[in-house]
Amino acid sequence: MFINAVSFLKEENGDILFAFAINKDILFIKAQLIKKEEEKNYHFEVIGKMLEIHNDNINSLTLSKSSILQKILICSVSDDKTIKLSDVLTTTELYSKKCFKRSSIVKFSQNQNEIIYANKVGEVYKIEVENFDKYEEQEPIIGHCASMITDLIQVSGLIFTSDSDEKIRISRYPHTFEIENFCLGHKQFVSKIIIDPKVELLVSGSGDGSIKLWRIRTGELLDSVKLDESETAVTIPIAWINESNYIAIAIENKKEILIFKVEIEASRKLREIERINLNFEPTDGIITSENDLWLIGSNKTLQQQLEENQNQNQNQNQNQNQN
């Protein structure tokens, strides 16, 4: 089984809906929270499958409980240059739209009313959920100068985008032409970004083996910690642990999770608290309202995705030259 991507949806009763992209397919699993006195357990159930929804491997997917369409939605993007919106509970495709380029990532906006996706040449687009059926790809809302977008988050009137050329861009949303700040300092691609609940601080991981702490308002680098000295080390910020000052960090190809404390009140530094050994290599995760840390392992690293994207671009350029 080859897991390309994963998305989570936390429900008010503590249950969690998981969506796994496995090659061209999507698998839905529900974890039902069961409380008995002081004990807490989860019951897992496969609630649906969507087979070969795309013609090529799925690169990213995102879940949303839509108040507009009154459905639980999943949006997925693939190397087949399509973006698809589907109903989870009925496992039916609602809409499919063609894109100019292959897409790398897709997310719902904070209010769940827009879908934001990025292609592998650094362009970011927006679709209104209620007008998905009328959507035609036109001008991007953000451009990253031919760099692959590696992560994006929209929250509190801002949109954060990171790329394969070491940059993190903070733009206003929805007026994305207004750039708030850049966070510059990584020596390799940015792997993932996480933001504290108050939207004041940002932590980024990278292919340079470090994690960095930034002040969002100014783009100031507050601290940097080198976690691995090898040239191929990739750090992955997993989650900000709810209202606390703790974050969970993974390192690609390592069977462990690192817990850091962000010293907010005093020095604004990152301090390692604990390393927890695991029997798998985590690449993603979620913090529940119960303060449970769920970790997911994937078969494809970001480094492999970037190398595949570079090879695909080279092959495409060669074909165009031959024609």
Side-chain angles (χ1 to χ4, degrees):
M1 185 171 67
F2 191 97
I3 299 174
N4 302 55
V6 62
S7 183
F8 316 85
L9 184 63
K10 295 184 284 187
E11 300 185 15
E12 293 179 359
N13 61 1
D15 295 351
I16 308 171
L17 175 63
F18 296 87
F20 296 94
I22 304 169
N23 297 328
K24 305 173 186 178
D25 308 331
I26 301 177
L27 175 68
F28 300 104
I29 297 178
K30 188 168 188 177
Q32 182 182 5
L33 177 63
I34 300 173
K35 289 184 177 180
K36 188 176 181 181
E37 297 179 352
E38 295 184 359
E39 293 185 1
K40 180 174 57 178
N41 292 295
Y42 287 89
H43 171 71
F44 293 88
E45 180 184 3
V46 176
I47 64 169
K49 300 178 182 178
M50 299 186 73
L51 301 179
E52 294 192 356
I53 184 173
H54 286 274
N55 295 324
D56 208 331
N57 286 340
I58 298 168
N59 292 326
S60 180
L61 41 72
T62 182
L63 287 161
S64 170
K65 195 169 186 178
S66 173
S67 59
I68 293 178
L69 298 186
Q70 298 296 306
K71 300 176 187 292
I72 297 179
L73 301 175
I74 187 162
C75 190
S76 55
V77 294
S78 163
D79 277 344
D80 64 6
K81 298 182 181 179
T82 62
I83 179 168
K84 294 179 182 284
L85 187 66
S86 304
D87 183 341
V88 172
L89 297 184
T90 62
T91 61
T92 54
E93 180 184 306
L94 301 175
Y95 306 111
S96 178
K97 292 296 179 179
K98 205 67 178 160
C99 305
F100 293 134
K101 304 289 184 181
R102 293 173 288 113
S103 298
S104 58
I105 191 165
V106 61
K107 296 280 185 74
F108 278 92
S109 62
Q110 184 179 24
N111 63 14
Q112 308 295 299
N113 294 335
E114 294 99 28
I115 296 165
I116 305 168
Y117 70 98
N119 61 31
K120 292 188 175 183
V121 295
E123 297 168 335
V124 181
Y125 296 86
K126 181 181 73 172
I127 306 175
E128 294 180 355
V129 171
E130 61 181 343
N131 295 320
F132 197 106
D133 58 329
K134 304 179 182 67
Y135 176 72
E136 296 294 336
E137 193 171 85
Q138 295 180 356
E139 292 296 320
I141 62 172
I142 293 175
H144 268 249
C145 299
S147 301
M148 176 174 159
I149 303 295
T150 55
D151 201 4
L152 68 84
I153 300 172
Q154 193 283 302
V155 64
S156 296
L158 298 171
I159 181 168
F160 303 79
T161 48
S162 62
D163 66 30
S164 58
D165 283 338
E166 309 150 17
K167 299 189 302 298
I168 301 167
R169 170 174 163 165
I170 306 173
S171 309
R172 295 187 182 180
Y173 188 87
H175 305 295
T176 53
F177 56 87
E178 298 182 21
I179 300 175
E180 195 78 4
N181 284 302
F182 283 98
C183 298
L184 305 175
H186 280 294
K187 303 302 182 184
Q188 293 289 337
F189 62 87
V190 179
S191 58
K192 188 177 178 181
I193 53 178
I194 56 174
I195 296 167
D196 81 297
K198 295 180 180 179
V199 196
E200 295 176 352
L201 301 173
L202 178 152
V203 173
S204 58
S206 169
D208 62 15
S210 74
I211 56 171
K212 296 186 185 297
L213 177 68
W214 311 85
R215 192 192 307 274
I216 290 174
R217 183 171 53 84
T218 62
E220 176 189 359
L221 176 62
L222 300 174
D223 196 15
S224 179
V225 179
K226 187 79 168 178
L227 299 184
D228 197 304
E229 296 296 333
S230 67
E231 295 182 358
T232 58
V234 180
T235 55
I236 310 169
I238 296 291
W240 207 293
I241 302 178
N242 291 336
E243 299 300 323
S244 73
N245 299 335
Y246 294 88
I247 57 175
I249 305 290
I251 303 175
E252 271 189 2
N253 302 318
K254 289 202 172 185
K255 296 180 180 180
E256 62 181 6
I257 194 78
L258 287 69
I259 306 299
F260 274 78
K261 184 176 182 180
V262 183
E263 303 285 3
I264 291 180
E265 299 300 330
S267 58
R268 300 273 178 160
K269 299 292 184 181
L270 296 164
R271 180 164 61 90
E272 184 177 330
I273 300 297
E274 185 179 8
R275 291 194 180 215
I276 303 171
N277 293 324
L278 306 170
N279 60 4
F280 67 99
E281 299 165 6
T283 57
D284 206 345
I286 187 175
I287 293 289
T288 71
S289 57
E290 300 287 320
N291 271 336
D292 295 326
L293 173 61
W294 289 74
L295 298 172
I296 302 295
S298 177
N299 300 91
K300 183 185 286 189
T301 67
L302 181 58
Q303 181 69 54
Q304 290 172 324
Q305 295 178 47
L306 291 171
E307 290 173 355
E308 288 177 7
N309 182 54
Q310 185 177 20
N311 292 334
Q312 288 172 335
N313 288 337
Q314 289 175 350
N315 293 335
Q316 185 176 5
N317 292 334
Q318 288 175 358
N319 293 333
Q320 289 176 348
N321 292 335
Q322 290 174 358
N323 293 334

